[in-house]
Amino acid sequence: SRLAALCLFLLHCQLAVVPCAIGDSCNPLSISLLFQSPARAPQLTGIVLGASASIDLHRPDGSFQAALFPGEAPEIVSADQQNREIYWSSAASLYLRRGAFSGGGVTNVISGYNVGGGVLDNTTNLLYFTDNTAGTVYRAERDGSSPVLLGTPGDSPQAPFVWGSYLYFPRKDALFWLDSEEVTVAAPGNMFIAIPDPLGRQIFYSIAASGVFVSGTEPGAVPVYLTGSGTPFGIAIDPYTGHLFYREGAILYRCSIRGDECISLHSGLTGSGIALQFDRP
């Protein structure tokens, strides 16, 4: 038993019980050790960046790979890792669209709203989106049908995300969460984007003219400065390698999740929005 415990600790073994009794001659302990590799974390395969006239796929090192959705001019870009789809919105063009990780398959999900971002809740298969101009928040079916008004918080809500039983969205003066039409301040700041890391431990913020900030997850959290000096028009987290990606001006940066060790991956960017692709959810 000590050998088995040591094996599990050092070599990530898996115990398999042999189908025979303790006293049988097949094995005095009725146990065999089957060695297998540790579970592998999802690996980053691509960085999706919104441009002024396309949505482009870049390699993890920042180099350009391909135009995924030519002709698009997104403002907010997000990734649905489970369904391997990219969502993007344009308040100016009144739509929310999605397409496959590999490009193509573009679907117009929401039309007629000044959409400031949308998110699919994979647990309920319901879609949430905001109207930037009207200051409203909606829920709809995955295909965009049957939109239901959830609340009117005002002041340009956008980039919603679902966390537990609450819907979060940044506004010009704070991050809010919405529950049963009640709007509650979660964290203060003039926010363009707020995102949780995929492991659900922290919230990262793009705060206008101030850079990237981070806080805990509890309402009333105070964002703490990480890096940057302008308005990041897109932030994304790879928690498996501990990397923060953000774009400020025309430059794409990669930093440690602590906000240091920053390097420029790509320059000459136009447009806004960033999302990451992993090889599995």
Side-chain angles (χ1 to χ4, degrees):
S1 61
R2 290 182 179 178
L3 176 62
L6 181 63
C7 175
L8 285 170
F9 179 75
L10 296 178
L11 301 174
H12 301 272
C13 306
Q14 179 178 352
L15 293 177
V17 177
V18 178
C20 61
I22 291 292
D24 288 349
S25 61
C26 67
N27 190 324
L29 296 178
S30 301
I31 292 176
S32 69
L33 297 174
L34 302 181
F35 295 85
Q36 66 179 24
S37 299
R40 182 177 64 82
Q43 293 185 344
L44 181 68
T45 58
I47 305 169
V48 179
L49 299 174
S52 58
S54 69
I55 299 175
D56 299 328
L57 178 64
H58 291 245
R59 298 179 181 88
D61 65 3
S63 60
F64 177 83
Q65 182 170 341
L68 290 181
F69 307 107
E72 297 293 337
E75 295 167 7
I76 304 291
V77 178
S78 61
D80 176 359
Q81 302 294 338
Q82 184 167 315
N83 293 295
R84 305 190 65 76
E85 293 177 318
I86 299 297
Y87 281 80
W88 64 94
S89 63
S90 172
S93 300
L94 303 178
Y95 66 65
L96 174 69
R97 291 175 177 166
R98 67 167 167 248
F101 266 18
S102 57
V106 176
T107 301
N108 210 70
V109 184
I110 298 293
S111 297
Y113 296 85
N114 291 66
V115 182
V119 63
L120 180 69
D121 182 356
N122 292 120
T123 61
T124 63
N125 217 30
L126 293 174
L127 180 72
Y128 296 87
F129 67 96
T130 65
D131 186 310
N132 224 277
T133 300
T136 46
V137 182
Y138 294 86
R139 182 187 67 229
E141 298 298 319
R142 185 178 185 277
D143 62 2
S145 63
S146 306
V148 175
L149 177 65
L150 296 180
T152 308
D155 210 4
S156 303
Q158 57 187 27
F161 62 89
V162 176
W163 200 325
S165 60
Y166 301 112
L167 176 69
Y168 288 76
F169 55 89
R171 215 174 68 172
K172 286 184 177 179
D173 56 348
L175 175 72
F176 290 81
W177 53 262
L178 179 68
D179 178 47
S180 301
E181 300 185 8
E182 180 180 348
V183 177
T184 303
V185 175
N190 185 356
M191 299 176 188
F192 177 66
I193 296 170
I195 63 166
D197 77 54
L199 300 183
R201 298 172 300 187
Q202 301 177 94
I203 299 177
F204 293 80
Y205 310 87
S206 162
I207 297 185
S210 297
V212 180
F213 286 66
V214 67
S215 81
T217 61
E218 296 299 320
V222 177
V224 176
Y225 172 79
L226 273 186
T227 187
S229 58
T231 301
F233 288 103
I235 51 177
I237 302 297
D238 179 354
Y240 312 108
T241 59
H243 284 141
L244 159 72
F245 295 83
Y246 76 98
R247 51 185 301 174
E248 188 173 284
I251 302 176
L252 170 67
Y253 293 96
R254 186 189 69 208
C255 307
S256 80
I257 208 164
R258 302 179 303 275
D260 58 6
E261 301 175 5
C262 296
I263 62 172
S264 170
L265 293 183
H266 197 90
S267 59
L269 298 176
T270 61
S272 67
I274 180 173
L276 302 182
Q277 292 185 357
F278 296 96
D279 60 356
R280 60 190 180 89

